[in-house]
């Protein structure tokens, strides 16, 4: 059983080979080029006081970088397949360029290529992705309100260091505790363990994902039960594309199930039974979830895969206890992944359609929910929205 | 009274004009050049999997950056006055260079200059200083054990968002809670409010300062009473050197005293009386402390200035209540600041000797403690050690 799941996990990764940070591919090739509206504003993710990069109301991005003696400067963000946005030298020694088309709404990773070297944009804040601290930019989303900082009670995000005998160190995790956690000392809370994607780490769901703000806003609106979220590093840095098929989920499973969960249940006021514990993840974190949750059904009852595969009827039928013990199977994707996803699968590789698989589960009586984030790709706005949809379905009694 | 203190605050800053991030100045010019030992290892602060920058056992730093088409690459770290370390192009298209001399032990900020532009080293992690996310490197200190991650109980560092009517937003702070905070639900704790320096922010004391690890280790060794530390942004980004004399501490004082402290006392199990609340800061955070604490002696009882000025006998004598209400005045500097500090004062500007001032306070019966961090400058190892010395002196009853 375990072997089968891990084999399936590796196969799915190999078939999709989709890291968490592809080049951003806007949907519409646009001949003739539309007029660019000159209402550019600094990205909300810029470093303090930095005017660039900028974004306009259409989603075009404009870069400006100072490097007076450089020969060539490029930003790895723009229309897919064209190597990003080429910047041109200005009279003042800076380099400027505007993306050839609008980008999808939401968060995008990028970096600069300066004279053949990889550097971050000194105007932008950094976010860990692609096994490096990348530059980040935010194209304002029409529905950004659900992760805005609002005048509502805010939970905390705590950095914890937990002992990990299996890896011989103390490891870091972040723990979201909902508003009221510090006041209601007799209340105990369910827990969602929430994993990042390939090349990211335990900072992603707070920094890029705004998981804490999504929860604060859902709770303030009465849309979800307050619960704890635990985010730790999924040990995915070594899973280079060439070695993905042999990635072994067991070391992380040991850290998660044998070390982190007992620590959290000891140090936070959790409801520590199976029915109050969920596991979810994005991209490779979804594949980890798909491997670990069914193999630990006495530990987890609610499962979420965000752009990270799906369960076939065969997967669940052959997993002992799945029908009785699993209370939710949530599968989501960005709509652009479903449009273009099949094209990325190597010729001859079977790639299951996640909607078909999720529908089959539902028809067979499993608690299956399928969600599509409209007009987003394999990027964080898909996953912010997935968490918004997933959270209200958890721990209903 | 308030006016006098703020004027003194501004004067002291103007006289020292010492931001938190000067070029690192090793003490010894070294003709003839010593032999460089070829035992370089990756800095402990490198990004995952990155081999460079490296540090050797003598404290020399070696940089390697890929930029095959660049004309000139320089790192802003090395011997003072020489513009840092000039990198030279290698056959493989990378650029390499070794500092001309050893650096002081501890943490150093730096960045690269690539063809006239300012970029971070893609091998190093980033730390907020100089109003930007800078590259950071760590030269292993002989006494690094006191901030090492050890197999001891660890406290948490929680990100909180607190409402700030005076600035019209929710502001971020980090709160260290000691080991046992989550278990001993009836215990209440004293609180230290701990401020960063100019151009830094609320992340500095955890990321660069390891305040949490210093406390974990002190508590495990029985050397300090467990207490809470609160770290927020001192609103110092706008205090450019030219505008320092007119920097107004009042907006930050309002956030700290009227907004943050009440929030912390409501949401954490604090001992909320004056004798269990301390204020300290490094560099410009010290100047803020020197301005705010004496003006709020019903709020703070213990005061720490780390490389951030000192109190004269005149300062304290003319402050109503100082003698009765202040239980500790701790002043510290790196030894290199005391060696070279006077040279930086503009000609004709009086610059008080902090040791003389602290001794005068002590002789007059004030609870004055002066500490010098040996062989360190205006950098974070001075302040890590200052916290190690300061913490055990707090909240003794």
């Amino acid at each position: 059983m375990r072997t089968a799941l891990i084999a399936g996990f590796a196969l799915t990764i190999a078939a999709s080979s989709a890291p968490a940070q592809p080049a951003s591919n806007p949907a519409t090739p646009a001949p003739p080029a539309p007029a660019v509206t000159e209402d550019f504003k600094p990205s909300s993710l810029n470093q303090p006081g930095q005017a660039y990069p900028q974004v306009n109301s259409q989603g075009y991005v404009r870069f400006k970088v100072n490097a007076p003696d450089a020969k060539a400067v490029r930003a790895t963000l723009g229309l897919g397949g064209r190597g990003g946005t080429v910047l041109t030298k200005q009279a003042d020694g800076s380099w400027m360029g505007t993306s050839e088309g609008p980008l999808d709404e939401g968060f995008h990773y990028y970096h600069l290529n300066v004279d053949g070297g990889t550097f971050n944009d000194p105007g932008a804040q950094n976010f860990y992705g692609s096994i490096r601290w990348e530059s980040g930019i935010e194209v304002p989303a029409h529905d950004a309100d659900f992760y805005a900082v609002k005048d509502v009670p805010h939970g905390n995000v705590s950095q914890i260091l937990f002992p990990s005998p299996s890896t011989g160190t103390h490891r870091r995790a972040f723990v979201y505790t909902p508003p009221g956690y510090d006041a209601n000392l007799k209340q105990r809370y369910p827990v969602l363990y929430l994993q990042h994607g390939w090349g990211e780490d335990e900072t992603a769901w707070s920094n890029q994902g705004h998981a804490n703000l999504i929860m604060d806003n859902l709770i303030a609106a009465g849309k979800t039960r307050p619960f704890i979220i635990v985010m730790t590093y999924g040990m995915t840095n070594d899973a280079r594309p060439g070695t993905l098929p042999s990635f072994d989920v067991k070391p992380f499973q040991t850290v998660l199930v044998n070390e982190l969960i007992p620590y959290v249940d000891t140090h936070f006021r959790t409801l520590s039974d199976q029915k109050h514990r969920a596991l979810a993840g994005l991209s490779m974190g979804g594949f980890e979830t798909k491997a670990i949750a069914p193999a630990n059904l006495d530990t987890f009852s609610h499962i979420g895969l965000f752009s990270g595969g799906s369960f076939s009827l065969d997967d669940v039928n052959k997993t002992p206890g799945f029908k009785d013990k699993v209370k939710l199977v949530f599968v989501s994707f960005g709509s652009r992944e479903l449009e273009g996803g099949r094209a990325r699968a190597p010729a001859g590789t079977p790639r299951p359609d996640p909607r078909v698989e999720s529908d089959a589960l539902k028809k067979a009586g499993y608690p299956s929910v399928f969600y599509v984030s409209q007009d987003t790709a394999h990027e964080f706005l898909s996953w912010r929205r997935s968490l918004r949809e997933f959270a209200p379905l958890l721990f209903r009694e």
Side-chain angles (χ1 to χ4, degrees), chain A residues 4-230:
Chain A
L5 273 167
I6 290 178
F9 156 62
L11 178 68
T12 317
I13 293 179
S16 73
S17 74
Q21 301 81 24
S24 173
N25 298 308
T28 47
V36 178
T37 304
E38 286 297 329
D39 58 355
F40 286 89
K41 294 177 185 166
S43 160
S44 61
L45 299 182
N46 282 3
Q47 295 193 29
Q50 295 297 315
Y52 287 87
Q54 298 191 339
V55 186
N56 81 352
S57 57
Q58 300 163 295
Y60 284 74
V61 177
R62 181 167 287 171
F63 303 95
K64 183 177 182 181
V65 177
N66 185 55
D69 300 327
K71 288 186 195 131
V73 180
R74 185 166 53 81
T76 61
L77 199 61
L79 288 182
R82 300 185 196 176
T85 300
V86 175
L87 279 59
T88 55
K89 193 167 181 181
Q90 309 297 302
D92 66 356
S94 70
W95 295 74
M96 287 188 74
T98 305
S99 61
E100 291 184 70
L103 304 183
D104 283 344
E105 295 183 351
F107 175 85
H108 306 281
Y109 295 104
Y110 73 104
H111 56 259
L112 302 176
N113 185 300
V114 180
D115 285 349
T118 295
F119 299 97
N120 282 343
D121 187 336
Q125 289 188 80
N126 304 304
F127 300 84
Y128 195 73
S130 299
I131 319 187
R132 66 184 303 273
W133 286 90
E134 288 265 282
S135 298
I137 195 167
E138 183 84 19
V139 176
H142 69 281
D143 59 348
D145 190 64
F146 79 88
Y147 51 87
V149 178
K150 297 199 221 177
D151 189 15
V152 299
H154 291 288
N156 299 341
V157 179
S158 300
Q159 173 189 284
I160 66 170
L161 295 173
F162 64 98
S164 168
S166 74
T167 57
T169 187
H170 283 67
R171 306 183 68 86
R172 183 168 73 165
F174 291 97
V175 180
Y176 169 82
T177 49
Y181 180 85
D182 291 306
N184 313 323
L185 294 185
K186 292 186 178 172
Q187 191 170 341
R188 305 185 78 88
Y189 298 83
V191 186
L192 163 63
Y193 290 80
L194 186 59
Q195 291 304 125
H196 59 82
W198 173 85
E200 297 173 339
D201 69 9
E202 64 272 23
T203 62
W205 266 110
S206 296
N207 289 355
Q208 291 94 301
H210 301 317
N212 53 324
L213 298 175
I214 293 169
M215 287 296 293
D216 291 344
N217 291 334
L218 286 173
I219 292 168
K223 291 182 180 170
T224 189
R225 174 177 178 174
F227 57 84
I228 291 169
I229 301 180
V230 179

Side-chain angles (χ1 to χ4, degrees), chain A residues 307-381:
Chain A
S307 303
S310 54
F311 286 96
S312 71
L313 202 49
D314 188 52
D315 284 335
V316 301
N317 281 340
K318 72 184 181 188
T319 302
F322 201 104
K323 191 130 205 169
D324 293 334
K325 295 178 177 173
V326 174
K327 302 305 176 195
L328 176 67
V329 182
F330 179 96
V331 170
S332 68
F333 282 89
S335 65
R336 301 210 194 291
E337 297 183 274
L338 299 176
E339 298 160 10
R342 285 163 176 283
R344 290 205 304 270
T349 308
R351 185 188 164 93
D353 183 322
R355 187 191 302 266
V356 170
E357 288 200 332
S358 295
D359 284 351
L361 255 61
K362 193 169 186 175
K363 280 179 190 138
Y366 288 95
S368 169
V369 174
F370 190 75
Y371 168 71
V372 177
S373 165
Q374 285 306 314
D375 301 330
T376 61
H378 198 73
E379 296 190 288
F380 245 106
L381 186 52

